[in-house]
Amino acid sequence: MSKKVSEAVIRRLPKYYRCLCELEAEKIDRVSSHKLSQRMGFTASQIRQDFNCFGGFGQQGYGYNVTELKKQIRSLLGLGTSYSLIVIGAGNIGQALANYSGFEREGFKVNALFDNNPHLANHTVSGIKILHTDQLEEYLQNNLTDIAVISVPQQAAQEITDRVCQAGIKFIWNFSPRELKVPNDVAIENVNLSDSLYMLSYKIKNET
Amino acid sequence: MSKKVSEAVIRRLPKYYRCLCELEAEKIDRVSSHKLSQRMGFTASQIRQDFNCFGGFGQQGYGYNVTELKKQIRSLLGLGTSYSLIVIGAGNIGQALANYSGFEREGFKVNALFDNNPHLANHTVSGIKILHTDQLEEYLQNNLTDIAVISVPQQAAQEITDRVCQAGIKFIWNFSPRELKVPNDVAIENVNLSDSLYMLSYKIKNET
């Protein structure tokens, strides 16, 4: 069923998950769509509609059990299992992602870093070895990898993406400021930091 | 006029800007909305509508002058001027942002890093001094600052946000995985890396 759910609804799931984690940390057992609405800024009817896309999670007029709802959304998000990642581009962002332990706690483990700078080869970041980009295909042939993180400079991003797709990668987390072309069966998720920063400069210019 | 433009249109501006930078680098002088549409995946009519929100940039049937259009969108985005930033939280992401020279090229200059770890105080990252978070208010009183970047751990994020807002900051770039409450006259732009990553785990679970 979840295959037909719209992208907009799916994009709200991590926000529900985060809010429920906070509620659980505050030792709140039960929450109404109205209360969720106040915390999250979506309308209560939107929240109920979203949950209905997945078959609904609560009983009318009784609210949601926080722990149970969190568990169900966590499972919908595919969390609670492990995913293996590689990071291509061991620059600032690539190294920050490899260093960050928060993703590993949720099951996302970076198993290798790649960089085309030979001086970085065989260095490690948080215990993860940096390999030369030349070894990418060989690595992917021998190591089951779920997600390739692209954090190379913009001008190298499409070529690296083509190579990982060619090597069978189906999921890409893209940090390069570029719209990457991928085959139809490859999913790509973009984090464009400059787009986000430019929203602030737009507002500084136009709202002050 | 630009105040009435919808958030969705504004969010597409950085994408147009990026595409036009690429076209210029490819030495393409003139582009039609149809060509832009093929490159960007928005419909040509959407693109014309978006541009009309800002008074339109081209001549019907003649296409857009790439350099001129880029210049106009760059100006709309408030680029080409300088902004002073502080980064609060000198962890992986905070240091990566301070190290990254690409933002400075577009006018965004990180002038100070803050951390509550006394061992980091007086260290520098790319020539930027790390100050203790205790010095935040004093710094903001003496140094004009446009944007505060929040890259502290989740549990510290709201308190730090309250402090920078209290000190007069009106623009916040938030990297903590938390919905932060800010006064009505403060604009906040969220980069939630885990939300983005969970979209990939959702797809791995539901589309494979």
Side-chain angles (χ1 to χ4, degrees), chain B residues 75-89:
Chain B
S75 160
L76 276 174
L77 285 171
L79 300 176
T81 173
S82 35
Y83 298 103
S84 100
L85 279 71
I86 59 167
V87 173
I88 310 163

Side-chain angles (χ1 to χ4, degrees), chain A residues 2-3 10 14-15 18 75-77 92 99 106 173 177 179 189 192-193 195-196 198 201-202 205-206, chain B residues 2-3 14-15 18 75-77 92 99 106 173 177 179 189 192-193 195-196 198 201-202 205-206:
Chain A
S2 51
K3 289 212 183 189
I10 298 167
K15 298 184 199 307
R18 208 149 18 92
S75 159
L76 276 173
L77 285 172
N92 295 311
N99 266 320
E106 282 291 10
W173 202 18
E179 313 288 327
E189 180 68 21
N192 199 315
L193 297 183
D195 282 17
S196 169
Y198 297 168
S201 57
Y202 179 91
K205 179 164 182 206
N206 294 282
Chain B
S2 51
K3 290 211 180 187
K15 300 185 199 305
R18 211 152 12 94
S75 160
L76 276 174
L77 285 171
N92 295 313
N99 265 320
E106 281 291 11
W173 202 19
E179 312 288 327
E189 180 67 23
N192 200 314
L193 297 182
D195 283 16
S196 170
Y198 297 169
S201 57
Y202 178 90
K205 181 168 181 201
N206 293 282

Side-chain angles (χ1 to χ4, degrees), chain A residues 145-195:
Chain A
T145 302
D146 298 302
I147 299 169
V149 182
I150 309 286
S151 51
V152 297
Q154 183 177 350
Q155 58 278 17
Q158 185 63 57
E159 190 220 317
I160 285 291
T161 303
D162 293 344
R163 284 173 60 188
V164 296
C165 292
Q166 188 69 36
I169 288 287
K170 298 292 178 212
F171 300 93
I172 290 178
W173 202 18
N174 172 37
F175 283 79
S176 81
R178 202 182 178 101
E179 313 288 327
L180 297 172
K181 287 185 193 70
V182 292
N184 282 335
D185 63 343
V186 173
I188 188 161
E189 180 68 21
N190 296 299
V191 177
N192 199 315
L193 297 183
S194 51
D195 282 17

